[in-house]
Amino acid sequence: MIRLYDTPVYLTKRGLLPATAETMAAAHMPAPEEAAKGTMAYGILEAHNTSGNMQNLQIKFDKLTSHDITFVGIIQTARASGLEKFPIPYVLTNCHNSLCAVGGTINEDDHMFGLTCAKKYGGVYVPPHQAVIHQYAREMLAEGGAMILGSDSHTRYGALGTMAIGEGGPELVKQLLSRTYDVKMPGVVAIYLTGAPRKGVGPQDIALAIIGAVFANGYVKNKVMEFVGPGVANLSVDERIGVDVMTTETTCLSSIWTTDEKVQEFYMIHGRPEGYRQLQPAENAYYDGAVEVDLSAIRPMIAMPFHPSNVYPIHELKDNLQDILADCEAKAKVSLGDKVAYSLQDKVIDGKLYVEQGIIAGCAGGGYENICAAADILRGKNIGDGKFSLSVYPASTPIFRELMVNGVGADLLTAGAVLKTAFCGPCFGAGDTPANNALSIRHSTRNFPNREGSKVQNGQISSVALMDARSIAATAAAKGFLTGADELEVEYTGPKYHFESSIYANRVFDSKGVADPDTEIQFGPNIKDWPEMVPLTEDVLLRVVSVIHDPVTTTDELIPSGETSSYRSNPEALSQFALSRKDPAYVGRAKEIREVEMIRRTNSCPMRENEAVKAAFTTIKAHYPDLKARATGIGTTIYAVKPGDGSAREQAASCQKVLGGWANIAREYATKRYRSNLINWGMIPFILPQDAQTDSVGDTSVATDVLPFENMDFLFIPGIRTAIAEGASQVTAYRIVGDQMLPFTLGIGEMTADERQIILDGCLINYYKSAQK
């Protein structure tokens, strides 16, 4: 079904050719460094690179996108750094906090902030319920050969010929200030598609199969996935989009697809024929690796809790139900521990898996073809009057309208489904949270722990399995008993789509790039400025205030989504939720040390105010008698094995910074975007050299770290400012134990000159302020 090549490859007319010395010589292949220029990714990156050096890129994007969890913080940061006008089109969508259900006026206050900023600085404002961020971008922003940067991790428009990247807000700030996105030339991996999907298989099935093959081994991590091969032509554009948006869950940097007449038709349907551009790799293009996918071999899939890579064919799960459920429970225990009772095996009724909820929604599931296929399956049937419920969220109002016009919406409502407006809530825990201990099947993007809205700290746990809309509808037709879409005989009608452009023309504010400086920005009482952040000191004393041994830590665990997102515009208020579902003691511990640092900044002696800090400094001064406590930065750090999987939300880092965080320590960082978020908020992304042993939990292998420190230890790092300034790759740190200072090594990792200066200045805002002096 899926094959991963263990060598680079050439893409030839006959298919993939492994780039070994023997095959290269026999086939007279061009040199890899020249043939690599033949990828679509290389051509697009070259057209947008301003550095003149294709190994060290400095990219300027064509367009920017944000939603209402992120745009307030981005614009506030840019304003503090000298913003006068949006230099390129910047679209502010409102698809996350659009229900305005928590926090009184604060969500709608954010929306009004966005509208007035779009007018003042020359942007585009998409009101709540009109479209989820990525569907609007597909319909109105994507262009062949263009590049879009978005402050949402699922910013992926490769199926339309647009190379799109999801990053934390500070990277968008750089673009708003006419700076660049700096990154080394990424590797490019060919995703070579053959065959055609069998009946009942949808884009989520294909995506989950790929994610399951490449996530754990990091095969495409921080690389560009380039979709090529004869199988591309056998996918509709909606199917390609559905696969493409899920590439984020592989931890790749971006994606790009070959384009054809089907993509050209998509642009014509949406009234933008000029946006189409044919993209094809050059003959004998060189790729750093390849994933060969036989579409005809893929069966309906399910990603079990709690990760999109925890995948099984549905028929395999049904055939081995108890064993797989027990394994999923064992994996869950690694993250959940004993904080809450968790079981899946009690969902088995008469040998069948029963689920309580189905959701088809958002940028992955809310596409037109997915919903039409679900309606075909449910036509003439119903979901019953039991626990099982089904909600369907079309990804945009134009899609919703078409479903009303052609009767598909009526079929779904008759079957017992509920149709709702464009909204990302089910994907990040702000809508349709299941009952305690319930299992939800969703055509959405993620199924991380608690992302669906439950709260472990309150004794709640529910879980999500990812499936394609077709199998969700088949399960709905079976009244909640798990059913793959290939188990049913269905006539798929495939109704043609008609896009009604007047919906956006009548409702979306588009400045056409013309700013109105006289517009007064509308602030609400929850919209606050960023607190003062100080430059990095020569020496730092850090207290470890959280240690997380999970194999992977998601951004949702670092800062919860859902109702918490209502406070995204208030840095101090939001920071109170940091790690709240993973380590509730973190905030209090961090604030205690932050208070000591605030005393240091006022030229008072921090040793007089905190006995633990006093004891640490006493030990340090025995070894460094000339050390000045008032000149030594005091902060906190957390340790996690592999933090930052998932969302691009910068708040996972900024909340730590607001609470006095100066660094993270990790074995590795799950994504480039999380590491970039740390750097942009002036936090050092330390790497701890690998040294782990493996224990067993049930049938699941779990890495158990052997650390040179423990939670609540103090770490002293002398000369860290000089080390960062001089580009050192590592530094000696000391664990303070009584009167001893025990040395160990921390890696710093490679950074650009700008990134080093941002850390030295204390954050991106300080960096720009310093540059203006």
Side-chain angles (χ1 to χ4, degrees), residues 44-54 56-59:
I44 294 174
L45 289 169
E46 184 179 40
H48 291 81
N49 180 37
T50 64
S51 71
N53 178 353
M54 284 300 291
N56 294 291
L57 305 176
Q58 294 180 335
I59 300 296

Side-chain angles (χ1 to χ4, degrees), residues 46 92 138 275 288 335 401 415 552 563 584 598 627 650 747:
E46 184 179 40
L92 311 178
R138 296 162 187 154
D288 297 284
S335 175
R401 179 188 182 280
V552 178
E563 66 186 62
M598 296 298 291
L627 183 87
E650 66 180 275

Side-chain angles (χ1 to χ4, degrees), residues 78-98:
R79 291 179 65 245
S81 304
L83 175 69
E84 295 181 355
K85 181 185 184 298
F86 295 156
I88 56 177
Y90 185 21
V91 177
L92 311 178
T93 62
N94 295 271
C95 51
H96 280 61
N97 283 336
S98 48

Side-chain angles (χ1 to χ4, degrees), residues 156 164-165 167 181 183 186 220 222-224 251-254 672:
R156 294 283 188 271
I165 298 175
E167 279 282 0
Y181 176 76
V183 64
V220 296
N222 294 331
K223 297 176 182 175
V224 177
T251 69
C252 74
L253 180 71
S254 188
K672 174 201 170 294

Side-chain angles (χ1 to χ4, degrees), residues 335 339 446 448-451 457 545-562 564-565 568 571-587 590 637-659 661 663-666 668-678 681 683 685:
S335 175
K339 290 178 288 189
R446 292 196 173 119
F448 298 157
N450 311 125
R451 186 177 170 94
Q457 72 272 25
V545 289
S546 185
V547 171
I548 303 171
H549 289 292
D550 294 0
V552 178
T553 301
T554 69
T555 47
D556 288 281
E557 292 171 305
L558 294 168
I559 181 65
S561 54
T564 308
S565 66
R568 286 305 195 272
E572 180 66 26
L574 178 63
S575 71
Q576 308 308 301
F577 295 93
L579 272 76
S580 59
R581 297 181 187 174
K582 194 67 188 171
D583 185 356
Y586 163 75
V587 171
T637 187
I638 69 168
Y639 169 80
V641 177
K642 188 177 180 180
D645 186 26
S647 173
R649 284 177 289 127
E650 66 180 275
Q651 294 90 354
S654 66
C655 284
Q656 295 179 52
K657 181 69 172 185
V658 168
L659 289 169
N664 272 198
I665 303 174
E668 64 174 304
Y669 292 94
T671 57
K672 174 201 170 294
R673 55 183 172 268
Y674 178 67
R675 184 175 182 272
S676 294
N677 284 337
L678 291 174
W681 285 106
M683 300 175 68

Side-chain angles (χ1 to χ4, degrees), residues 541-543 592-593 596 606-620 634 712-714 736 738:
L541 176 66
L542 303 178
R543 191 166 209 180
E592 179 184 2
I593 300 301
V596 178
M607 291 190 292
R608 296 175 182 170
E609 305 295 335
N610 186 290
E611 290 299 321
V613 172
K614 179 179 180 179
F617 269 120
T618 299
T619 299
I620 295 170
I634 305 170
M712 299 304 289
D713 277 347
F714 281 99
I736 301 172

Side-chain angles (χ1 to χ4, degrees), residues 54-110:
M54 284 300 291
Q55 296 309 306
N56 294 291
L57 305 176
Q58 294 180 335
I59 300 296
K60 285 198 171 183
F61 288 83
D62 299 295
K63 299 171 184 176
L64 305 175
T65 62
S66 291
H67 52 62
D68 49 342
I69 281 183
T70 57
F71 66 62
V72 176
I74 291 168
I75 295 173
Q76 285 288 73
T77 302
R79 291 179 65 245
S81 304
L83 175 69
E84 295 181 355
K85 181 185 184 298
F86 295 156
I88 56 177
Y90 185 21
V91 177
L92 311 178
T93 62
N94 295 271
C95 51
H96 280 61
N97 283 336
S98 48
L99 288 185
C100 302
V102 177
T105 70
I106 60 180
N107 296 296
E108 187 63 9
D109 290 341
D110 285 0

Side-chain angles (χ1 to χ4, degrees), residues 486-716:
D486 60 349
E487 299 177 47
L488 306 179
E489 275 299 323
V490 178
E491 179 183 352
Y492 291 101
T493 58
K496 188 174 178 61
Y497 179 63
H498 301 88
F499 175 74
E500 180 52 65
S501 62
S502 64
I503 292 174
Y504 292 149
N506 292 337
R507 189 71 187 98
V508 172
F509 170 77
D510 186 351
S511 71
K512 308 295 184 183
V514 178
D516 180 6
D518 294 330
T519 298
E520 183 177 347
I521 298 175
Q522 184 170 329
F523 290 89
N526 186 62
I527 299 176
K528 305 294 185 183
D529 293 331
W530 292 104
E532 179 189 6
M533 299 175 192
V534 298
L536 180 65
T537 53
E538 178 62 19
D539 312 312
V540 297
L541 176 66
L542 303 178
R543 191 166 209 180
V544 182
V545 289
S546 185
V547 171
I548 303 171
H549 289 292
D550 294 0
V552 178
T553 301
T554 69
T555 47
D556 288 281
E557 292 171 305
L558 294 168
I559 181 65
S561 54
E563 66 186 62
T564 308
S565 66
S566 295
Y567 300 93
R568 286 305 195 272
S569 305
N570 186 329
E572 180 66 26
L574 178 63
S575 71
Q576 308 308 301
F577 295 93
L579 272 76
S580 59
R581 297 181 187 174
K582 194 67 188 171
D583 185 356
Y586 163 75
V587 171
R589 293 168 177 169
K591 289 173 75 172
E592 179 184 2
I593 300 301
R594 183 181 66 173
E595 291 304 311
V596 178
E597 166 63 14
M598 296 298 291
I599 293 169
R600 181 193 73 84
R601 296 185 200 176
T602 62
N603 287 324
S604 299
C605 181
M607 291 190 292
R608 296 175 182 170
E609 305 295 335
N610 186 290
E611 290 299 321
V613 172
K614 179 179 180 179
F617 269 120
T618 299
T619 299
I620 295 170
K621 288 178 74 67
H623 296 80
Y624 289 83
D626 296 332
L627 183 87
K628 302 293 189 228
R630 292 186 182 90
T632 301
I634 305 170
T636 55
T637 187
I638 69 168
Y639 169 80
V641 177
K642 188 177 180 180
D645 186 26
S647 173
R649 284 177 289 127
E650 66 180 275
Q651 294 90 354
S654 66
C655 284
Q656 295 179 52
K657 181 69 172 185
V658 168
L659 289 169
W662 287 49
N664 272 198
I665 303 174
R667 297 293 185 184
E668 64 174 304
Y669 292 94
T671 57
K672 174 201 170 294
R673 55 183 172 268
Y674 178 67
R675 184 175 182 272
S676 294
N677 284 337
L678 291 174
I679 292 171
N680 285 325
W681 285 106
M683 300 175 68
I684 307 167
F686 284 125
I687 291 291
L688 193 64
Q690 293 287 347
D691 181 16
Q693 60 192 30
T694 300
D695 290 346
S696 179
V697 178
D699 295 327
T700 306
S701 293
V702 180
T704 303
D705 281 328
V706 179
L707 300 178
F709 52 80
E710 296 179 358
N711 201 14
M712 299 304 289
D713 277 347
F714 281 99
L715 309 179
F716 178 60

